[in-house]
Short mmCIF file of all heavy atoms in Angstrom, two decimals:
data_model
loop_
_atom_site.label_atom_id
_atom_site.label_comp_id
_atom_site.label_asym_id
_atom_site.label_seq_id
_atom_site.Cartn_x
_atom_site.Cartn_y
_atom_site.Cartn_z
N GLU A 201 -160.80 38.82 85.37
CA GLU A 201 -160.16 38.09 86.47
C GLU A 201 -159.68 36.69 86.04
O GLU A 201 -160.14 35.67 86.55
CB GLU A 201 -161.13 38.00 87.66
CG GLU A 201 -161.59 39.40 88.08
CD GLU A 201 -162.41 39.41 89.35
OE1 GLU A 201 -162.39 38.42 90.08
OE2 GLU A 201 -163.06 40.44 89.61
N VAL A 204 -158.50 33.87 88.60
CA VAL A 204 -159.41 33.37 89.64
C VAL A 204 -159.69 31.88 89.42
O VAL A 204 -159.97 31.47 88.30
CB VAL A 204 -160.73 34.18 89.59
CG1 VAL A 204 -161.87 33.41 90.23
CG2 VAL A 204 -160.55 35.53 90.27
N ASP A 216 -166.10 21.31 99.99
CA ASP A 216 -166.29 22.74 100.21
C ASP A 216 -165.55 23.45 99.07
O ASP A 216 -164.54 22.95 98.58
CB ASP A 216 -165.68 23.12 101.57
CG ASP A 216 -166.18 24.44 102.10
OD1 ASP A 216 -167.05 25.06 101.46
OD2 ASP A 216 -165.70 24.85 103.18
N ARG A 218 -164.45 27.46 97.25
CA ARG A 218 -164.39 28.93 97.32
C ARG A 218 -163.45 29.40 96.22
O ARG A 218 -162.64 28.62 95.68
CB ARG A 218 -163.90 29.44 98.69
CG ARG A 218 -162.43 29.48 98.91
CD ARG A 218 -161.83 28.12 99.10
NE ARG A 218 -162.24 27.51 100.36
CZ ARG A 218 -162.24 26.22 100.58
NH1 ARG A 218 -161.86 25.34 99.63
NH2 ARG A 218 -162.62 25.71 101.73
N VAL A 219 -163.57 30.70 95.92
CA VAL A 219 -162.68 31.31 94.93
C VAL A 219 -161.39 31.73 95.61
O VAL A 219 -161.42 32.29 96.71
CB VAL A 219 -163.39 32.54 94.31
CG1 VAL A 219 -162.41 33.44 93.59
CG2 VAL A 219 -164.50 32.09 93.36
N VAL A 220 -160.26 31.43 94.98
CA VAL A 220 -158.98 32.01 95.41
C VAL A 220 -158.22 32.47 94.16
O VAL A 220 -158.58 32.10 93.03
CB VAL A 220 -158.09 31.05 96.23
CG1 VAL A 220 -158.75 30.63 97.53
CG2 VAL A 220 -157.67 29.84 95.44
N LEU A 221 -157.20 33.27 94.39
CA LEU A 221 -156.39 33.76 93.28
C LEU A 221 -155.16 32.89 93.08
O LEU A 221 -154.45 32.58 94.06
CB LEU A 221 -155.90 35.18 93.57
CG LEU A 221 -156.88 36.32 93.36
CD1 LEU A 221 -156.18 37.64 93.70
CD2 LEU A 221 -157.39 36.34 91.93
N GLU A 233 -152.36 31.76 98.16
CA GLU A 233 -152.10 32.19 99.54
C GLU A 233 -153.41 32.31 100.29
O GLU A 233 -154.45 32.59 99.69
CB GLU A 233 -151.44 33.57 99.55
CG GLU A 233 -150.13 33.63 98.86
CD GLU A 233 -149.57 35.06 98.85
OE1 GLU A 233 -150.16 35.94 98.19
OE2 GLU A 233 -148.55 35.28 99.51
N THR A 234 -153.33 32.19 101.60
CA THR A 234 -154.52 32.40 102.43
C THR A 234 -154.10 32.83 103.83
O THR A 234 -152.98 32.54 104.27
CB THR A 234 -155.39 31.12 102.48
OG1 THR A 234 -156.65 31.43 103.06
CG2 THR A 234 -154.72 30.01 103.25
N ALA A 235 -155.03 33.53 104.49
CA ALA A 235 -154.78 33.87 105.90
C ALA A 235 -154.79 32.58 106.73
O ALA A 235 -155.36 31.57 106.31
CB ALA A 235 -155.85 34.84 106.39
N ARG A 238 -158.27 30.04 108.78
CA ARG A 238 -159.31 29.87 107.77
C ARG A 238 -159.73 28.40 107.70
O ARG A 238 -158.94 27.51 107.95
CB ARG A 238 -158.78 30.27 106.38
CG ARG A 238 -158.56 31.76 106.20
CD ARG A 238 -159.87 32.51 105.98
NE ARG A 238 -159.66 33.91 105.70
CZ ARG A 238 -159.60 34.87 106.61
NH1 ARG A 238 -159.74 34.57 107.89
NH2 ARG A 238 -159.42 36.12 106.27
N SER A 239 -160.99 28.19 107.30
CA SER A 239 -161.49 26.81 107.19
C SER A 239 -160.61 25.98 106.27
O SER A 239 -160.31 24.81 106.54
CB SER A 239 -162.91 26.80 106.63
OG SER A 239 -163.76 27.51 107.48
N LYS A 240 -160.21 26.58 105.13
CA LYS A 240 -159.44 25.78 104.17
C LYS A 240 -158.11 25.33 104.76
O LYS A 240 -157.60 24.28 104.39
CB LYS A 240 -159.28 26.54 102.84
CG LYS A 240 -158.35 27.70 102.89
CD LYS A 240 -158.18 28.35 101.54
CE LYS A 240 -159.12 29.47 101.26
NZ LYS A 240 -159.27 30.50 102.31
C1 FMN B 566 -162.31 37.21 93.51
C2 FMN B 566 -161.98 36.60 94.85
C3 FMN B 566 -160.66 36.30 95.13
C4 FMN B 566 -160.32 35.71 96.35
N1 FMN B 566 -159.01 35.37 96.58
C5 FMN B 566 -158.70 34.73 97.72
C6 FMN B 566 -157.37 34.26 97.94
O1 FMN B 566 -156.46 34.39 97.10
N2 FMN B 566 -157.11 33.61 99.11
C7 FMN B 566 -158.08 33.41 100.06
O2 FMN B 566 -157.78 32.81 101.09
N3 FMN B 566 -159.35 33.83 99.88
C8 FMN B 566 -159.68 34.47 98.74
N4 FMN B 566 -160.97 34.89 98.54
C9 FMN B 566 -161.97 34.64 99.60
C10 FMN B 566 -162.40 33.17 99.59
O3 FMN B 566 -163.25 32.92 98.46
C11 FMN B 566 -163.11 32.75 100.87
O4 FMN B 566 -164.27 33.52 101.05
C12 FMN B 566 -162.22 32.88 102.12
O5 FMN B 566 -160.86 32.57 101.82
C13 FMN B 566 -162.68 31.97 103.24
O6 FMN B 566 -162.67 30.63 102.76
P1 FMN B 566 -162.54 29.37 103.75
O7 FMN B 566 -163.48 29.66 104.88
O8 FMN B 566 -162.99 28.21 102.95
O9 FMN B 566 -161.12 29.26 104.18
C14 FMN B 566 -161.34 35.46 97.31
C15 FMN B 566 -162.66 35.75 97.02
C16 FMN B 566 -162.98 36.31 95.80
C17 FMN B 566 -164.43 36.57 95.48
#
Side-chain angles (χ1 to χ4, degrees):
E201 305 187 15
V204 158
D216 198 3
R218 83 287 291 156
V219 164
V220 298
L221 281 181
E233 299 177 293
T234 191
R238 289 283 185 270
S239 300
K240 72 177 92 48

